[in-house]
């Protein structure tokens, strides 16, 4: 690895890469210099340890908890950074914008007359989807438990028929 990459930057890169899948964006978010973000990120990916860490993180993120946490973030997350951006007199510098939490923003566009329109994801719809998913997963868990209970006798050789 390059000398200027710290262990905490490597760990952060692994986390961001597992979530985003983009070398450049993961490297920038991990704090690598913009000029060398891609090459530093690729250098991290050359490490077997880094690739194993990314694989472990992807396994953690691909379960249903990741989907549910994303929906919870849409439903209950803050929109204060979007409000800040809308009411700022000038466009903030790129490093400030990169630090903003705009997860709840679905669209940003300039309107005629010089204004800015920001659309947020629908919180009620996110709550509805969250309820649907939680019910689906709950039903799936119940069904798996029932199948397990029904087949337990066959596995143990205690079939009563």
């Amino acid at each position: 690895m390059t000398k200027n990459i710290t262990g905490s930057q490597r760990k952060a890169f692994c986390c961001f890469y597992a979530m985003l899948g983009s070398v450049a964006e993961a490297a920038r978010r991990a704090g690598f210099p913009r000029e060398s973000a891609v090459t530093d990120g690729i250098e991290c990916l050359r490490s077997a340890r880094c690739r194993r860490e990314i694989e472990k993180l992807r396994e953690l993120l691909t379960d249903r908890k990741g989907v549910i946490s994303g929906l919870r973030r849409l439903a209950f997350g803050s929109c204060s950074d979007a409000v800040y951006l809308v009411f700022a007199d000038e466009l903030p510098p790129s490093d400030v914008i990169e630090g903003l939490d705009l997860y709840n923003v679905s669209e940003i566009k300039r309107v005629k007359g010089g204004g800015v329109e920001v659309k947020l994801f629908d919180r009620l719809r996110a709550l509805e989807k969250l309820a649907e998913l939680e019910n689906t997963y709950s039903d799936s868990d119940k069904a798996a438990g029932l199948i397990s209970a029904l087949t337990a006798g066959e596995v143990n050789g205690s079939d009563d028929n």
Side-chain angles (χ1 to χ4, degrees):
M1 302 253 177
T2 15
K3 294 176 187 172
N4 60 342
I5 299 174
T6 67
S8 61
Q9 283 179 312
R10 276 193 294 275
K11 288 179 184 178
F13 172 80
C14 291
C15 290
F16 285 120
Y17 186 77
M19 287 188 305
L20 305 169
S22 166
V23 172
E25 188 173 356
R28 283 193 306 271
R29 288 191 179 196
F32 297 171
R34 186 174 285 281
E35 309 79 48
S36 63
V38 173
T39 55
D40 289 344
I42 290 171
E43 188 66 28
C44 283
L45 288 176
R46 287 188 175 136
S47 159
R49 187 172 82 187
C50 195
R51 288 193 308 272
R52 283 191 305 271
E53 182 67 22
I54 290 167
E55 188 61 35
K56 287 178 190 175
L57 289 167
R58 282 186 172 160
E59 286 177 25
L60 288 172
L61 295 172
T62 56
D63 68 351
R64 63 185 180 209
K65 291 177 186 170
V67 174
I68 289 174
S69 66
L71 286 171
R72 282 186 181 143
R73 192 168 172 201
L74 288 176
F76 303 113
S78 172
C79 62
S80 60
D81 283 349
V83 172
Y84 161 75
L85 192 59
V86 168
F87 289 105
D89 292 333
E90 297 178 357
L91 187 64
S94 61
D95 60 325
V96 171
I97 291 174
E98 286 180 20
L100 297 176
D101 179 6
L102 300 176
Y103 190 83
N104 287 339
V105 174
S106 65
E107 182 179 343
I108 299 176
K109 66 180 179 180
R110 289 202 180 273
V111 293
K112 293 179 184 174
V116 175
E117 181 179 313
V118 175
K119 292 184 181 179
L120 302 174
F121 284 102
D122 185 342
R123 290 180 187 265
L124 183 57
R125 188 151 185 235
L127 282 170
E128 290 169 350
K129 290 294 180 187
L130 184 59
E132 284 176 27
L133 274 178
E134 287 181 342
N135 286 335
T136 300
Y137 292 144
S138 175
D139 292 346
S140 174
D141 290 344
K142 288 176 188 173
L146 177 61
I147 290 170
S148 176
L150 291 173
T151 59
E154 294 174 11
V155 173
N156 294 331
S158 60
D159 193 7
D160 292 333
N161 290 334

